[in-house]
Amino acid sequence: MGTYVCRKCGKKFESKTLTDGFCHECLAEFLDKYHLVREYLWEHPGSNASEISKACEVSVHQVMEWVREDRFMLTNDSKVFIYCEVCGAKITSGRLCERCSKVEAREQKSKDAVRRAKAKAEERQGVAVAKYDGDDGKMRFL
Ligand SMILES: [Zn+2]
Ligand SMILES: [Zn+2]
């Protein structure tokens, strides 16, 4: 049992399980939206973040956050890729290529400027459901 501060509404809440940092009300809303987006993407793979945002009434920022959390991945056939923030290699999800994420685990450096610049390009990028989605144990409380 631990006490956390909800990352959406800022309310304090207690939880035994991993809730992704949301209180119970916000988590329910979050999962609702997440599943809505997932279903939308099954039917419309390759939709970009602003299309998803309109269709599912979630923010572009939220969609891109899910991509960075590896819940969704960018599609390979699109012209815009996301790039590893360190070496610039093309990647389809997350922030770093496999090699650099190992390095980053050792030396945590702030790369906010790079991240902001890349974020603009990512928002025009198509998004699809990641194949390994849901196998990370994060959704087990469902
Ligand atoms: Zn909340
Ligand atoms: Zn890299």
Side-chain angles (χ1 to χ4, degrees):
M1 182 70 85
T3 304
Y4 307 93
V5 175
C6 175
R7 70 177 187 177
K8 184 153 183 258
C9 70
K11 202 169 73 183
K12 280 191 182 152
F13 66 99
E14 294 197 332
S15 182
K16 276 184 240 177
T17 52
L18 199 59
T19 64
D20 279 343
F22 293 101
C23 73
H24 302 296
E25 292 95 82
C26 293
L27 182 69
E29 196 196 316
F30 175 85
L31 291 175
D32 253 28
K33 290 293 183 195
Y34 174 64
H35 287 122
L36 197 68
V37 170
R38 270 197 73 176
E39 260 160 49
Y40 179 78
L41 283 172
W42 279 116
E43 282 167 32
H44 309 273
S47 302
N48 67 32
S50 77
E51 286 164 349
I52 296 163
S53 163
K54 266 186 224 145
C56 304
E57 294 181 337
V58 294
S59 66
V60 167
H61 175 82
Q62 178 63 77
V63 174
M64 295 320 294
E65 200 166 296
W66 283 328
V67 169
R68 283 191 204 94
E69 287 171 357
D70 287 345
R71 291 173 192 274
F72 299 127
M73 63 180 186
L74 300 176
T75 51
N76 286 322
D77 53 352
S78 180
K79 287 183 189 67
V80 188
F81 288 85
I82 47 176
Y83 297 94
C84 169
E85 290 178 7
V86 176
C87 70
K90 284 178 181 177
I91 51 177
T92 53
S93 73
R95 294 169 36 236
L96 300 173
C97 71
E98 209 175 314
R99 196 159 48 93
C100 295
S101 59
K102 282 180 192 148
V103 175
E104 200 204 38
R106 268 175 269 141
E107 43 169 310
Q108 276 285 352
K109 277 186 189 169
S110 161
K111 294 188 173 65
D112 283 339
V114 184
R115 204 167 301 155
R116 273 195 296 275
K118 299 278 194 281
K120 277 286 149 206
E122 290 174 28
E123 284 171 12
R124 294 188 299 272
Q125 168 80 30
V127 179
V129 176
K131 283 191 188 71
Y132 46 88
D133 176 62
D135 292 335
D136 58 5
K138 277 181 188 166
M139 293 301 189
R140 209 166 285 157
F141 45 80
L142 269 181

